[in-house]
């Protein structure tokens, strides 16, 4: 997406002005008269918050803020949406020495960069509550070298498979629970006259998501963490095993709708979410239903099942999301972070829809429909949660169109038999990106 520099400058000026108004304010007017003194021990002050959310999402987050201010009426919360420019605006604010008190960012790597700069403050005061409500796996997403710096508040479940109900019924198959069942169902669907898979290979990130779900189930979370930080090479046997498993889908060419290298993510969804489906299922995250307009109704027209277990692997979720970090340590900011750890804070947004919480103590029944209850509830119920591996890489290797993992997985899609060759190319690219 192209961004105009003058608009960015205006946004930055607006944000910095808002931050200045939201930080360091006292409770007295210019005449010093002030307001009614709050009860002893009550948190007071003002805090500024920045995140990507605008529009309906901003309204939902404002409802979360309102829940906080009901409990803490002597705190004023000022929210600013950075939109698509969030990273640029936030980084500029940090460099200028005037960051917001709190921010929600989508990249653990950016959080780590801010830690290295000494820009964000540890939130060890909230660590026990994070572990209690979210579990150790989610807590680790916000840690750097074992210290808690962030809280994953809003998540996306990328361990889902969406399917056309009519296509499954016509083929006489049920949603599978394990990998062998998936391959068997795909073969049966193919025999019924419809390709089983719709793959948006023109967008390389969809292929990284497929690999990550396979890898964490076969290799386990420890090796996943090591691969994410390049402690093990991409030529490791665990990587080659996952690539070999991935090739069981990518190599089934006649069972994939069209040329997957020419199909973008949106079209891959349209292929399935149609009355005249071109494929039976698309393997992608819980955001799939919001991508296209469809005549199909949830549950009766389209539905979802969990990414299948491999070799008896436990429930695992690969996801993305928004991580709250604290730039300025003050009582009001600490109180807000503590509030975000509670099921009550998550419930406010969950009831409104468009939100998935990794809080395992949130009752899934609060989500507005059964599909959300399944996909969002799986995040909190997962025994293992890991952040999208490609988002944890240096951006040149893990998040840039036309290079790194995006391009190399597209090359693998074109030639899924070349496991050793693609693993070596991935290792060469990783070594360059990590400077090793």
């Amino acid at each position: 997406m192209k961004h105009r520099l003058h608009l960015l400058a205006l946004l930055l000026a607006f944000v910095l002005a808002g931050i200045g108004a939201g930080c360091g304010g006292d409770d007295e007017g210019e005449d010093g008269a002030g307001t009614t003194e709050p009860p002893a021990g009550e948190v007071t002050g003002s805090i500024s918050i920045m995140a990507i959310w605008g529009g309906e999402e901003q309204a939902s987050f404002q409802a979360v803020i309102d829940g906080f201010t009901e409990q803490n009426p002597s705190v004023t919360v000022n929210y600013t949406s950075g939109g698509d420019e969030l990273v640029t605006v936030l980084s500029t604010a940090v460099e200028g020495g005037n960051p917001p008190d709190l921010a929600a960012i989508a990249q653990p790597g950016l959080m780590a960069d801010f830690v290295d700069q000494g820009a964000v403050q540890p939130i060890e005061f909230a660590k026990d509550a994070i572990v209690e409500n979210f579990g150790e796996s989610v807590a680790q997403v916000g840690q750097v070298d074992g210290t808690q710096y962030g809280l994953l508040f809003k998540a996306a479940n990328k361990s889902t498979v969406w399917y056309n109900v009519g296509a499954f019924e016509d083929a006489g198959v049920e949603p599978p629970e394990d990998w062998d069942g998936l391959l068997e169902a795909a073969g049966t669907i193919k025999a019924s006259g419809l390709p089983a898979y719709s793959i948006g290979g023109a967008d390389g990130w969809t292929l990284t998501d497929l690999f990550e779900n396979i890898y964490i189930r076969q290799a386990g979370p420890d090796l996943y963490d090591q691969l994410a930080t390049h402690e093990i090479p991409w030529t490791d046997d665990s990587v080659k095993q996952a690539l070999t498993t991935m090739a069981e889908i990518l190599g089934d060419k006649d069972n994939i709708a069209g040329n997957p290298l020419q199909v973008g993510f949106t079209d891959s969804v349209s292929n399935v979410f149609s009355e005249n489906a071109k494929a039976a299922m698309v393997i992608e995250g819980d955001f799939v239903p919001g991508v296209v307009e469809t005549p199909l109704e949830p549950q009766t027209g389209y539905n979802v099942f969990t990414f299948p277990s491999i070799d008896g692997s436990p429930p695992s979720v690969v996801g993305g999301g928004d991580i709250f970090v604290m730039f300025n340590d003050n009582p009001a900011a600490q109180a807000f972070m503590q509030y975000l750890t509670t099921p009550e804070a998550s419930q406010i947004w969950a009831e409104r829809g468009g939100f998935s919480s990794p809080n395992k103590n949130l009752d899934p029944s609060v989500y507005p429909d059964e599909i959300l209850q399944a996909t969002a509830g799986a995040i909190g119920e997962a025994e293992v949660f890991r952040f999208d591996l490609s988002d944890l890489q240096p951006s040149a290797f893990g998040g840039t169109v036309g290079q790194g993992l995006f391009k190399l997985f597209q090359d693998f899609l074109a030639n899924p038999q070349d496991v050793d060759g693609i693993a070596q190319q991935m290792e060469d690219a990783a070594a360059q990106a990590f400077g090793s």
Side-chain angles (χ1 to χ4, degrees):
M1 182 180 296
K2 296 182 179 178
H3 305 293
R4 297 181 180 178
L5 293 178
H6 70 279
L7 289 178
L8 175 58
L10 288 173
L11 175 61
L12 179 60
F14 173 77
V15 168
L16 293 178
I19 293 172
C23 294
D26 56 36
D27 295 322
E28 295 185 352
E30 291 183 0
D31 60 1
T35 58
T36 303
E37 190 71 21
E42 183 175 313
V43 178
T44 65
S46 62
I47 52 175
S48 56
I49 302 176
M50 191 188 300
I52 192 174
W53 307 312
E56 189 61 34
E57 287 188 313
Q58 181 171 339
S60 292
F61 182 57
Q62 184 61 52
V64 176
I65 292 174
D66 293 344
F68 171 77
T69 54
E70 286 178 10
Q71 298 179 15
N72 300 273
S74 297
V75 177
T76 300
V77 180
N78 299 290
Y79 172 74
T80 299
S81 171
D84 290 336
E85 301 286 2
L86 174 65
V87 173
T88 301
V89 175
L90 186 58
S91 297
T92 303
V94 169
E95 291 174 5
N98 195 24
D101 295 303
L102 303 170
I105 56 180
Q107 301 86 8
L110 179 62
M111 177 186 69
D113 288 343
F114 285 145
V115 170
D116 289 342
Q117 297 170 31
V120 295
Q121 308 304 313
I123 57 169
E124 288 287 299
F125 59 86
K127 186 172 184 177
D128 289 346
I130 294 172
V131 172
E132 178 182 351
N133 285 290
F134 295 83
E136 192 65 47
S137 290
V138 173
Q140 289 173 0
V141 172
Q143 295 175 6
V144 176
D145 295 331
T147 299
Q148 200 75 43
Y149 285 96
L151 164 62
L152 180 64
F153 177 68
K154 185 177 187 290
N157 179 354
K158 291 191 172 187
S159 297
T160 51
V161 183
W162 297 86
Y163 67 99
N164 185 293
V165 173
F168 268 49
E169 289 178 347
D170 290 344
V173 300
E174 297 288 336
E177 296 183 357
D178 57 31
W179 187 259
D180 290 340
L182 175 67
L183 299 180
E184 181 180 353
T188 303
I189 293 168
K190 178 182 178 181
S192 75
L194 185 71
Y197 309 113
S198 182
I199 297 176
D203 293 308
W205 61 267
T206 65
L207 303 174
T208 67
D209 287 351
L210 176 57
F211 170 81
E212 290 156 5
N213 273 291
I214 293 170
Y215 189 81
I216 198 167
R217 285 162 176 77
Q218 282 191 315
D222 290 341
L223 285 178
Y224 186 100
D225 295 341
Q226 292 176 45
L227 185 63
T229 55
H230 202 219
E231 293 177 41
I232 60 173
W234 284 78
T235 50
D236 190 82
D237 286 342
S238 63
V239 175
K240 293 181 180 180
Q241 182 184 13
L243 290 171
T244 300
T245 300
M246 187 175 178
E248 293 178 330
I249 289 180
L250 302 188
D252 193 3
K253 300 290 189 182
D254 294 337
N255 213 5
I256 301 174
N259 180 348
L261 283 168
Q262 297 177 357
V263 177
F265 169 57
T266 300
D267 289 337
S268 74
V269 176
S270 296
N271 285 342
V272 177
F273 282 56
S274 171
E275 290 179 339
N276 298 310
K278 297 179 181 179
M281 55 185 158
V282 57
I283 305 172
E284 251 309 332
D286 59 7
F287 40 80
V288 159
V291 172
V292 297
E293 292 186 11
T294 176
L296 303 182
E297 293 295 326
Q299 295 185 283
T300 58
Y302 68 86
N303 214 326
V304 66
F305 61 90
T306 301
F307 195 98
S309 171
I310 302 178
D311 299 328
S313 59
S316 302
V317 171
V318 174
D322 300 284
I323 304 168
F324 270 91
V325 296
M326 183 176 70
F327 290 97
N328 298 312
D329 190 350
N330 57 66
Q334 286 198 17
F336 195 87
M337 291 293 284
Q338 289 278 19
Y339 166 72
L340 292 180
T341 69
T342 66
E344 291 75 19
S346 294
Q347 181 172 338
I348 293 171
W349 198 336
E351 290 176 336
R352 296 169 64 95
F355 177 84
S356 296
S357 173
N359 194 315
K360 64 185 180 68
N361 290 324
L362 177 67
D363 184 350
S365 67
V366 304
Y367 291 102
D369 61 66
E370 292 187 15
I371 288 183
L372 267 176
Q373 290 170 15
T375 60
I379 299 175
E381 295 170 0
E383 295 181 28
V384 175
F385 179 92
R386 286 296 185 271
F387 213 87
D388 184 302
L389 187 145
S390 61
D391 284 344
L392 300 173
Q393 308 301 302
S395 60
F397 177 57
T400 303
V401 174
Q403 68 184 59
L405 288 176
F406 290 0
K407 174 62 166 60
L408 291 170
F409 272 112
Q410 289 173 323
D411 292 344
F412 185 56
L413 174 59
N415 184 17
Q417 288 74 42
D418 188 22
V419 169
D420 290 342
I422 204 69
Q424 185 60 60
Q425 291 180 56
M426 289 175 174
E427 173 54 24
D428 292 343
Q432 181 176 357
F434 281 90
S436 57

